[in-house]
Amino acid sequence: GNSVTQMEGPVTLSEEAFLTINCTYTATGYPSLFWYVQYPGEGLQLLLKATKADDKGSNKGFEATYRKETTSFHLEKGSVQVSDSAVYFCALSSYMDTGRRALTFGSGTRLQVQP
Amino acid sequence: GAGVSQTPSNKVTEKGKYVELRCDPISGHTALYWYRQSLGQGPEFLIYFQGTGAADDSGLPNDRFFAVRPEGSVSTLKIQRTERGDSAVYLCASSLEPGLAGGREADTQYFGPGTRLTVL
């Protein structure tokens, strides 16, 4: 079956540090890949996505590249801010026989950015 | 435009009671999903609607859980005889129609803010 593995948190960084959150996946076919972010007390927000190999998703200074050869979709940001403190979820979407898109999530990585 | 909305934002109930959670998807999205998120974990799939019908309910944990979408828009998740283990955040998401009509964009699900259910 499909699965997503992401690094355990919490990840604690100082403001303006470089961020990497690793994500690897197992899936059949050609899934789409996503990063969702969940700020304290809020729901999931789509951060970025990539739908095919070598695509780079980017938003708000965050980037992730769909690497089929390493089955990875690592999230990076060059300079984090305190406002980036949140839980980040890596996810993949695959097509099921029932017609639905199955979103499989990783367990989430909590990022804490200190001033 | 308006995103996915869910009501109530918080629900506290007593063990054994019945609850209803409501989801209003993005206009034009024919696909609707319910997920459950326990503390410290990623969301887990419960049920999927395409239009008015529940096309996939394989994630519902037992027969106390039921969901409807009578007019193909708003959906209600119903939980009977609630148990303390049902306490979680219930998330709703919507997307374009999966399949050729939606293309790869249908892979993207947009989530509501969730309903935090606490069963005492």
Side-chain angles (χ1 to χ4, degrees):
Chain A
N2 298 335
S3 67
V4 175
T5 303
Q6 57 182 111
M7 60 191 292
E8 289 191 18
V11 174
T12 304
L13 296 173
S14 298
E15 207 164 22
E16 299 183 3
F18 183 85
L19 169 72
T20 299
I21 301 178
N22 290 336
C23 171
T24 57
Y25 67 90
T26 302
T28 56
Y30 300 92
S32 294
L33 301 175
F34 304 85
W35 278 99
Y36 283 87
V37 59
Q38 190 168 37
Y39 297 101
E42 299 185 15
L44 286 169
Q45 298 178 24
L46 177 66
L47 180 59
L48 54 85
K49 66 179 181 181
T51 59
K52 61 183 187 295
D54 299 326
D55 266 4
K56 177 185 285 187
S58 62
N59 185 27
K60 298 181 181 180
F62 291 89
E63 292 183 341
T65 301
Y66 190 143
R67 301 287 189 200
K68 190 164 177 63
E69 64 276 14
T70 55
T71 62
S72 65
F73 193 55
H74 304 321
L75 183 68
E76 297 182 336
K77 186 174 185 182
S79 176
V80 293
Q81 306 299 313
V82 172
S83 58
D84 294 327
S85 298
V87 180
Y88 291 81
F89 291 93
C90 184
L92 67 83
S93 177
S94 57
Y95 189 77
M96 306 295 284
D97 290 342
T98 54
R100 74 174 168 102
R101 292 292 201 271
L103 262 184
T104 303
F105 286 88
S107 56
T109 303
R110 180 175 299 278
L111 171 65
Q112 299 173 335
V113 181
Q114 299 176 337
Chain B
V4 178
S5 62
Q6 292 186 246
T7 55
S9 56
N10 281 284
K11 176 70 177 178
V12 180
T13 190
E14 295 179 343
K15 181 176 178 297
K17 299 291 188 182
Y18 168 84
V19 296
E20 289 189 351
L21 312 179
R22 175 189 167 107
C23 171
D24 201 339
I26 292 172
S27 177
H29 280 188
T30 58
L32 186 146
Y33 300 79
W34 283 99
Y35 292 82
R36 180 167 69 175
Q37 185 178 19
S38 299
L39 192 64
Q41 298 184 17
E44 294 180 325
F45 168 76
L46 294 176
I47 186 169
Y48 158 64
F49 287 87
Q50 179 53 42
T52 60
D56 187 340
D57 63 358
S58 61
L60 294 178
N62 52 61
D63 61 6
R64 295 186 298 105
F65 288 75
F66 189 72
V68 296
R69 195 186 185 198
E71 297 178 358
S73 179
V74 170
S75 176
T76 304
L77 178 66
K78 307 180 180 191
I79 310 174
Q80 299 176 321
R81 305 184 302 281
T82 52
E83 299 177 357
R84 292 193 179 88
D86 298 336
S87 296
V89 176
Y90 289 82
L91 297 169
C92 176
S94 70
S95 76
L96 293 172
E97 178 184 351
L100 291 179
R104 277 282 182 171
E105 181 54 33
D107 288 348
T108 303
Q109 296 180 26
Y110 296 89
F111 284 79
T115 295
R116 181 176 299 279
L117 175 65
T118 303
V119 182
L120 301 176

